Coordinates of all heavy atoms in Angstrom, one line a residue:
S43 N -28.0 117.9 56.4 CA -29.2 118.7 56.5 C -29.1 119.9 55.7 O -28.1 120.6 55.6 CB -29.4 119.0 58.0 OG -30.4 120.0 58.1
L44 N -30.2 120.2 55.0 CA -30.2 121.4 54.2 C -30.8 122.5 55.0 O -32.0 122.7 55.1 CB -31.1 121.2 52.9 CG -30.7 120.1 51.9 CD1 -31.8 119.8 50.9 CD2 -29.4 120.5 51.3
A45 N -29.9 123.2 55.7 CA -30.4 124.2 56.7 C -29.5 125.5 56.5 O -28.4 125.4 56.2 CB -30.4 123.7 58.1
Q46 N -30.1 126.6 56.9 CA -29.3 127.8 56.9 C -29.9 128.7 58.0 O -31.1 128.6 58.4 CB -29.3 128.5 55.6 CG -30.5 129.0 55.0 CD -30.3 129.6 53.6 OE1 -29.7 128.9 52.7 NE2 -30.8 130.8 53.3
A47 N -29.1 129.6 58.5 CA -29.5 130.4 59.6 C -30.5 131.5 59.3 O -31.3 131.9 60.2 CB -28.2 131.1 60.2
D48 N -30.4 132.0 58.1 CA -31.4 133.1 57.8 C -32.0 132.9 56.4 O -31.6 132.0 55.7 CB -30.6 134.5 57.8 CG -29.3 134.5 57.0 OD1 -29.0 133.4 56.4 OD2 -28.7 135.5 57.0
V49 N -33.0 133.7 56.1 CA -33.7 133.6 54.8 C -33.0 134.5 53.8 O -33.2 135.7 53.8 CB -35.2 134.0 54.9 CG1 -35.9 133.9 53.6 CG2 -35.8 133.1 56.0
K50 N -32.1 133.9 53.0 CA -31.4 134.7 52.0 C -31.2 133.8 50.7 O -30.6 132.8 50.8 CB -30.0 135.1 52.5 CG -30.0 136.2 53.5 CD -28.7 136.9 53.7 CE -28.7 137.9 54.8 NZ -28.8 139.2 54.3
T51 N -31.8 134.3 49.7 CA -31.7 133.6 48.4 C -30.3 133.4 47.9 O -29.9 132.4 47.4 CB -32.6 134.2 47.3 OG1 -33.9 134.3 47.8 CG2 -32.6 133.5 46.0
Q52 N -29.5 134.5 48.2 CA -28.1 134.5 47.7 C -27.3 133.4 48.5 O -26.5 132.7 47.8 CB -27.5 135.9 48.0 CG -26.1 136.0 47.4 CD -25.6 137.5 47.6 OE1 -26.1 138.2 48.4 NE2 -24.6 137.8 46.8
T53 N -27.6 133.2 49.7 CA -26.9 132.1 50.5 C -27.3 130.8 50.0 O -26.4 129.9 49.8 CB -27.2 132.3 52.0 OG1 -26.9 133.6 52.5 CG2 -26.5 131.2 52.8
A54 N -28.6 130.6 49.7 CA -29.0 129.3 49.2 C -28.4 129.0 47.8 O -28.0 127.9 47.5 CB -30.6 129.3 49.1
A55 N -28.4 130.1 47.0 CA -27.8 129.9 45.6 C -26.3 129.5 45.7 O -25.8 128.7 45.0 CB -27.9 131.2 44.8
A56 N -25.6 130.1 46.7 CA -24.2 129.8 46.9 C -24.0 128.3 47.3 O -23.1 127.6 46.9 CB -23.5 130.7 47.9
T57 N -24.9 127.9 48.2 CA -24.9 126.5 48.7 C -25.1 125.5 47.5 O -24.4 124.5 47.4 CB -26.0 126.2 49.8 OG1 -25.7 127.1 50.9 CG2 -26.0 124.8 50.2
L58 N -26.1 125.8 46.7 CA -26.4 125.0 45.5 C -25.2 125.0 44.5 O -24.9 123.9 44.0 CB -27.7 125.4 44.8 CG -28.9 125.3 45.7 CD1 -30.1 125.8 44.9 CD2 -29.2 123.8 46.1
K59 N -24.6 126.1 44.3 CA -23.4 126.2 43.4 C -22.3 125.3 44.0 O -21.7 124.6 43.2 CB -23.0 127.6 43.3 CG -21.9 127.8 42.3 CD -21.5 129.2 42.1 CE -20.5 129.4 41.0 NZ -20.1 130.8 40.8
R60 N -22.1 125.4 45.3 CA -21.0 124.6 45.9 C -21.3 123.1 45.7 O -20.4 122.3 45.6 CB -20.9 124.9 47.4 CG -19.7 124.4 48.1 CD -19.5 125.0 49.5 NE -20.6 124.6 50.4 CZ -21.5 125.5 50.9 NH1 -21.4 126.8 50.6 NH2 -22.4 125.1 51.7
L61 N -22.6 122.7 45.7 CA -23.0 121.3 45.5 C -23.0 120.9 44.0 O -23.3 119.7 43.7 CB -24.4 121.0 46.1 CG -24.5 121.1 47.6 CD1 -26.0 121.1 48.1 CD2 -23.7 120.0 48.3
G62 N -22.8 121.8 43.1 CA -22.8 121.5 41.7 C -24.1 121.5 41.1 O -24.3 120.9 40.0
V63 N -25.1 122.1 41.7 CA -26.5 122.1 41.2 C -26.7 123.3 40.3 O -26.5 124.4 40.6 CB -27.5 122.2 42.4 CG1 -28.9 122.2 41.9 CG2 -27.3 121.0 43.3
T64 N -27.1 122.9 39.0 CA -27.4 124.0 38.0 C -28.7 123.5 37.3 O -28.9 122.3 37.2 CB -26.3 124.2 37.0 OG1 -26.0 122.9 36.4 CG2 -25.0 124.7 37.6
G65 N -29.5 124.4 36.9 CA -30.7 124.1 36.2 C -31.8 123.5 37.1 O -31.8 123.8 38.3
K66 N -32.7 122.8 36.6 CA -33.8 122.2 37.4 C -33.3 121.2 38.3 O -32.5 120.3 38.0 CB -34.8 121.6 36.5 CG -35.7 122.5 35.7 CD -36.7 121.8 34.9 CE -37.8 122.8 34.4 NZ -38.9 122.0 33.8
A67 N -33.7 121.3 39.6 CA -33.3 120.4 40.6 C -34.4 120.2 41.7 O -35.2 121.2 41.9 CB -32.0 120.8 41.3
V68 N -34.4 119.1 42.3 CA -35.3 118.9 43.4 C -34.4 118.6 44.6 O -33.4 117.8 44.5 CB -36.3 117.7 43.2 CG1 -35.7 116.4 42.9 CG2 -37.3 117.6 44.3
L69 N -34.7 119.2 45.7 CA -33.9 119.1 47.0 C -34.8 118.4 48.0 O -35.9 118.8 48.3 CB -33.5 120.5 47.5 CG -32.9 121.4 46.5 CD1 -32.7 122.8 47.1 CD2 -31.6 120.9 46.0
V70 N -34.2 117.3 48.5 CA -35.0 116.4 49.4 C -34.4 116.3 50.8 O -33.2 116.0 50.9 CB -35.2 115.0 48.8 CG1 -36.1 114.2 49.6 CG2 -35.6 115.1 47.4
D71 N -35.2 116.5 51.8 CA -34.7 116.3 53.2 C -35.9 115.7 54.0 O -37.0 115.8 53.5 CB -34.3 117.7 53.9 CG -33.3 117.5 55.0 OD1 -33.1 116.3 55.5 OD2 -32.8 118.5 55.5
V72 N -35.6 115.1 55.1 CA -36.7 114.5 55.9 C -37.7 115.6 56.3 O -38.9 115.4 56.1 CB -36.1 113.7 57.1 CG1 -37.2 113.2 58.0 CG2 -35.2 112.6 56.7
T73 N -37.2 116.6 56.9 CA -38.0 117.8 57.2 C -37.3 119.0 56.7 O -36.1 119.2 56.9 CB -38.3 118.0 58.7 OG1 -37.1 118.0 59.4 CG2 -39.1 116.8 59.2
L74 N -38.0 119.8 55.9 CA -37.4 121.0 55.4 C -37.1 122.1 56.4 O -38.0 122.4 57.2 CB -38.2 121.6 54.2 CG -38.3 120.8 52.9 CD1 -39.2 121.5 52.0 CD2 -36.9 120.6 52.4
D75 N -35.9 122.6 56.4 CA -35.6 123.8 57.2 C -36.4 125.0 56.6 O -36.4 125.2 55.4 CB -34.1 124.1 57.1 CG -33.8 125.4 57.9 OD1 -33.9 125.4 59.1 OD2 -33.3 126.3 57.2
E76 N -37.2 125.7 57.4 CA -38.1 126.7 56.9 C -37.3 127.8 56.3 O -37.7 128.3 55.2 CB -38.9 127.3 58.1 CG -39.9 128.3 57.7 CD -40.8 128.7 58.9 OE1 -40.9 128.0 59.9 OE2 -41.4 129.8 58.8
N77 N -36.2 128.2 56.8 CA -35.3 129.3 56.2 C -34.8 128.9 54.8 O -34.8 129.7 53.9 CB -34.2 129.7 57.1 CG -34.6 130.4 58.4 OD1 -35.7 130.9 58.4 ND2 -33.8 130.4 59.4
F78 N -34.3 127.6 54.7 CA -33.8 127.2 53.5 C -34.9 127.1 52.4 O -34.7 127.5 51.3 CB -33.1 125.8 53.6 CG -32.4 125.3 52.4 CD1 -31.2 125.9 52.0 CD2 -33.0 124.4 51.6 CE1 -30.5 125.5 50.9 CE2 -32.3 123.9 50.4 CZ -31.1 124.5 50.1
A79 N -36.1 126.5 52.8 CA -37.2 126.4 51.9 C -37.6 127.8 51.3 O -37.9 127.9 50.2 CB -38.4 125.7 52.6
K80 N -37.7 128.8 52.2 CA -38.1 130.1 51.8 C -37.0 130.7 50.9 O -37.3 131.5 50.0 CB -38.3 131.0 53.0 CG -39.6 130.7 53.8 CD -39.7 131.6 54.9 CE -41.0 131.4 55.7 NZ -41.1 132.2 56.9
S81 N -35.8 130.4 51.1 CA -34.7 131.0 50.3 C -34.7 130.4 48.9 O -34.4 131.1 48.0 CB -33.3 130.7 51.0 OG -33.3 131.3 52.3
V82 N -34.9 129.1 48.8 CA -34.8 128.5 47.4 C -36.1 128.7 46.6 O -36.1 128.5 45.4 CB -34.5 127.0 47.5 CG1 -33.1 126.8 48.1 CG2 -35.5 126.2 48.2
R83 N -37.2 129.1 47.2 CA -38.4 129.2 46.4 C -38.3 130.3 45.4 O -39.1 130.3 44.4 CB -39.6 129.4 47.3 CG -39.7 130.7 48.0 CD -40.9 130.8 48.9 NE -40.9 132.0 49.7 CZ -41.6 132.2 50.7 NH1 -42.5 131.3 51.1 NH2 -41.6 133.4 51.3
N84 N -37.4 131.2 45.6 CA -37.2 132.3 44.6 C -36.2 131.9 43.5 O -36.0 132.7 42.6 CB -36.7 133.6 45.3 CG -37.7 134.2 46.2 OD1 -38.9 134.1 46.0 ND2 -37.2 134.8 47.3
L85 N -35.6 130.8 43.6 CA -34.7 130.3 42.5 C -35.4 129.5 41.5 O -36.1 128.6 41.8 CB -33.6 129.4 43.2 CG -32.7 130.1 44.2 CD1 -31.8 129.1 44.9 CD2 -31.9 131.2 43.6
P86 N -35.3 130.0 40.2 CA -36.0 129.3 39.1 C -35.6 127.8 38.9 O -34.4 127.6 39.0 CB -35.8 130.1 37.9 CG -34.5 130.9 38.2 CD -34.5 131.1 39.7
G87 N -36.5 126.9 38.8 CA -36.2 125.5 38.6 C -35.8 124.7 39.8 O -35.6 123.5 39.7
I88 N -35.8 125.3 41.0 CA -35.4 124.6 42.2 C -36.7 124.3 43.0 O -37.5 125.2 43.2 CB -34.5 125.4 43.0 CG1 -33.2 125.8 42.3 CG2 -34.1 124.7 44.3 CD1 -32.4 124.7 41.8
N89 N -36.9 123.1 43.4 CA -38.0 122.6 44.2 C -37.5 121.9 45.4 O -36.8 120.9 45.3 CB -38.9 121.7 43.3 CG -40.2 121.4 43.9 OD1 -40.6 122.0 44.9 ND2 -40.8 120.3 43.5
A90 N -37.9 122.4 46.6 CA -37.5 121.7 47.8 C -38.7 121.0 48.4 O -39.8 121.6 48.5 CB -37.0 122.7 48.8
V91 N -38.5 119.7 48.7 CA -39.7 118.9 49.2 C -39.2 118.0 50.4 O -38.0 117.5 50.3 CB -40.3 118.0 48.1 CG1 -41.0 118.9 47.1 CG2 -39.4 117.1 47.5
P92 N -40.1 117.8 51.3 CA -39.7 116.8 52.4 C -39.8 115.4 51.7 O -40.6 115.2 50.8 CB -40.8 117.0 53.4 CG -41.9 117.7 52.8 CD -41.3 118.4 51.6
S93 N -39.0 114.4 52.2 CA -39.0 113.1 51.7 C -40.4 112.4 51.7 O -40.7 111.6 50.8 CB -38.0 112.2 52.4 OG -38.3 112.1 53.8
S94 N -41.2 112.8 52.6 CA -42.6 112.2 52.7 C -43.5 112.7 51.6 O -44.5 112.1 51.3 CB -43.2 112.5 54.0 OG -43.3 113.9 54.2
R95 N -43.1 113.8 50.9 CA -44.0 114.3 49.9 C -43.3 114.3 48.5 O -43.9 114.8 47.5 CB -44.3 115.8 50.2 CG -44.8 116.1 51.5 CD -46.2 116.3 51.7 NE -46.7 117.2 50.7 CZ -48.0 117.2 50.3 NH1 -48.9 116.5 51.0 NH2 -48.4 118.0 49.4
L96 N -42.2 113.6 48.3 CA -41.5 113.4 47.1 C -42.3 112.5 46.1 O -42.8 111.5 46.5 CB -40.1 112.8 47.3 CG -39.3 112.7 46.0 CD1 -38.9 114.1 45.5 CD2 -38.0 111.9 46.3
T97 N -42.5 113.0 44.9 CA -43.3 112.2 43.9 C -42.4 111.9 42.7 O -41.3 112.5 42.5 CB -44.5 113.0 43.4 OG1 -44.0 114.2 42.6 CG2 -45.4 113.5 44.5
A98 N -42.8 110.9 41.9 CA -42.1 110.5 40.7 C -42.0 111.7 39.8 O -41.0 111.9 39.1 CB -42.7 109.3 40.1
R99 N -43.0 112.5 39.7 CA -43.1 113.7 38.9 C -42.0 114.7 39.3 O -41.3 115.3 38.4 CB -44.4 114.4 38.9 CG -44.5 115.5 37.9 CD -45.9 116.0 37.9 NE -46.8 114.9 37.5 CZ -47.6 115.0 36.5 NH1 -47.8 116.1 35.9 NH2 -48.3 114.0 36.2
D100 N -41.8 114.9 40.6 CA -40.7 115.8 41.1 C -39.4 115.3 40.5 O -38.6 116.1 40.1 CB -40.6 115.8 42.6 CG -41.8 116.4 43.3 OD1 -42.4 117.3 42.7 OD2 -42.2 116.0 44.4
V101 N -39.1 114.0 40.6 CA -37.8 113.4 40.2 C -37.7 113.5 38.6 O -36.6 113.9 38.1 CB -37.7 112.0 40.7 CG1 -36.4 111.3 40.1 CG2 -37.7 111.9 42.2
M102 N -38.7 113.2 37.9 CA -38.7 113.2 36.5 C -38.5 114.6 35.9 O -37.9 114.8 34.8 CB -39.9 112.6 35.9 CG -40.0 111.1 36.1 SD -41.4 110.3 35.4 CE -41.2 110.6 33.7
N103 N -39.0 115.6 36.6 CA -39.0 117.0 36.1 C -37.6 117.7 36.4 O -37.4 118.8 36.1 CB -40.1 117.9 36.6 CG -41.4 117.5 36.0 OD1 -41.4 117.0 34.9 ND2 -42.5 117.8 36.7
A104 N -36.8 117.0 37.2 CA -35.5 117.6 37.6 C -34.3 117.0 36.9 O -34.3 115.8 36.5 CB -35.3 117.4 39.1
R105 N -33.3 117.8 36.6 CA -32.1 117.3 36.0 C -31.2 116.7 37.1 O -30.4 115.8 36.8 CB -31.3 118.5 35.3 CG -32.0 118.9 34.0 CD -31.1 120.0 33.4 NE -29.8 119.6 33.1 CZ -29.3 119.1 31.9 NH1 -30.2 118.9 30.9 NH2 -28.1 118.7 31.8
R106 N -31.4 117.2 38.3 CA -30.6 116.7 39.5 C -31.5 116.5 40.7 O -32.4 117.3 40.9 CB -29.5 117.7 39.9 CG -28.4 117.8 38.8 CD -27.2 118.3 39.5 NE -26.2 118.5 38.4 CZ -25.0 117.9 38.4 NH1 -24.7 117.1 39.4 NH2 -24.2 118.1 37.4
V107 N -31.2 115.5 41.4 CA -31.9 115.3 42.7 C -30.8 115.3 43.8 O -29.8 114.6 43.7 CB -32.6 113.9 42.7 CG1 -33.2 113.7 44.1 CG2 -33.7 113.8 41.6
V108 N -31.0 116.2 44.7 CA -30.1 116.4 45.8 C -30.9 115.9 47.1 O -31.9 116.5 47.4 CB -29.6 117.8 46.0 CG1 -28.7 117.9 47.2 CG2 -28.9 118.3 44.7
A109 N -30.4 114.9 47.8 CA -31.0 114.4 49.0 C -30.0 114.2 50.1 O -28.9 113.9 49.9 CB -31.7 113.1 48.7
T110 N -30.5 114.5 51.3 CA -29.6 114.3 52.5 C -29.6 112.8 52.7 O -30.5 112.0 52.3 CB -30.2 115.0 53.7 OG1 -31.5 114.5 54.0 CG2 -30.2 116.5 53.5
R111 N -28.6 112.3 53.5 CA -28.5 110.9 53.8 C -29.7 110.4 54.6 O -30.2 109.3 54.3 CB -27.2 110.7 54.7 CG -27.0 109.2 55.0 CD -25.7 109.1 55.8 NE -24.6 109.7 55.2 CZ -23.6 109.0 54.5 NH1 -23.7 107.7 54.5 NH2 -22.7 109.7 53.9
S112 N -30.2 111.2 55.5 CA -31.4 110.8 56.3 C -32.6 110.7 55.4 O -33.5 109.9 55.6 CB -31.6 111.8 57.4 OG -31.8 113.1 57.0
A113 N -32.7 111.6 54.4 CA -33.9 111.5 53.4 C -33.8 110.2 52.6 O -34.8 109.6 52.4 CB -33.9 112.7 52.5
L114 N -32.6 109.9 52.2 CA -32.5 108.6 51.4 C -32.8 107.4 52.3 O -33.5 106.5 51.8 CB -31.0 108.5 50.9 CG -30.7 109.4 49.7 CD1 -29.2 109.2 49.3 CD2 -31.5 109.0 48.5
E115 N -32.4 107.4 53.5 CA -32.7 106.3 54.4 C -34.2 106.2 54.6 O -34.7 105.1 54.6 CB -32.0 106.5 55.8 CG -30.5 106.3 55.6 CD -29.7 106.7 56.9 OE1 -30.3 107.3 57.8 OE2 -28.5 106.5 56.9
K116 N -34.9 107.3 54.8 CA -36.3 107.4 55.0 C -37.0 106.8 53.7 O -38.0 106.0 53.8 CB -36.8 108.8 55.3 CG -38.2 108.9 55.7 CD -38.4 108.3 57.1 CE -39.7 108.7 57.6 NZ -40.0 108.1 58.9
L117 N -36.5 107.2 52.5 CA -37.1 106.8 51.3 C -36.9 105.2 51.1 O -37.9 104.5 50.7 CB -36.5 107.5 50.1 CG -37.0 108.9 49.9 CD1 -36.1 109.6 48.9 CD2 -38.4 109.0 49.6
Q118 N -35.8 104.7 51.5 CA -35.5 103.3 51.4 C -36.4 102.5 52.3 O -36.9 101.5 52.0 CB -34.0 103.0 51.7 CG -33.1 103.4 50.6 CD -31.6 103.2 51.0 OE1 -31.3 103.2 52.2 NE2 -30.8 103.0 50.0
E119 N -36.6 103.1 53.5 CA -37.5 102.5 54.5 C -38.9 102.4 54.0 O -39.6 101.4 54.1 CB -37.4 103.3 55.8 CG -38.3 102.8 56.9 CD -38.1 103.8 58.1 OE1 -37.0 104.0 58.6 OE2 -39.2 104.3 58.5
V120 N -39.4 103.5 53.4 CA -40.8 103.5 52.9 C -41.0 102.7 51.7 O -42.0 102.0 51.5 CB -41.2 105.0 52.6 CG1 -42.5 105.1 51.9 CG2 -41.2 105.8 53.9
L121 N -40.0 102.6 50.8 CA -40.1 101.9 49.5 C -39.8 100.4 49.6 O -40.0 99.7 48.7 CB -39.3 102.5 48.4 CG -39.7 104.0 48.1 CD1 -38.7 104.6 47.1 CD2 -41.1 104.0 47.5
A122 N -39.2 100.0 50.8 CA -38.8 98.6 50.9 C -40.0 97.6 51.1 O -41.1 98.0 51.3 CB -37.9 98.5 52.1

């Protein structure tokens, strides 16, 4: 789950760095944690979306796609 306890861009940036995310990226979770979504919206090139709203354009415009296991399972279920 992409979640954090408070709304801090610095914390979100550190999480992304730990995951190896640099440049344009789309972050996908089944439901977005409100604190995490607010934190990453200030980061240039980073787009956080729930799996139900993910589009091909989101994926094509990103250098990296980071998805939680549950988001991938939901996408597989919908696309099957």
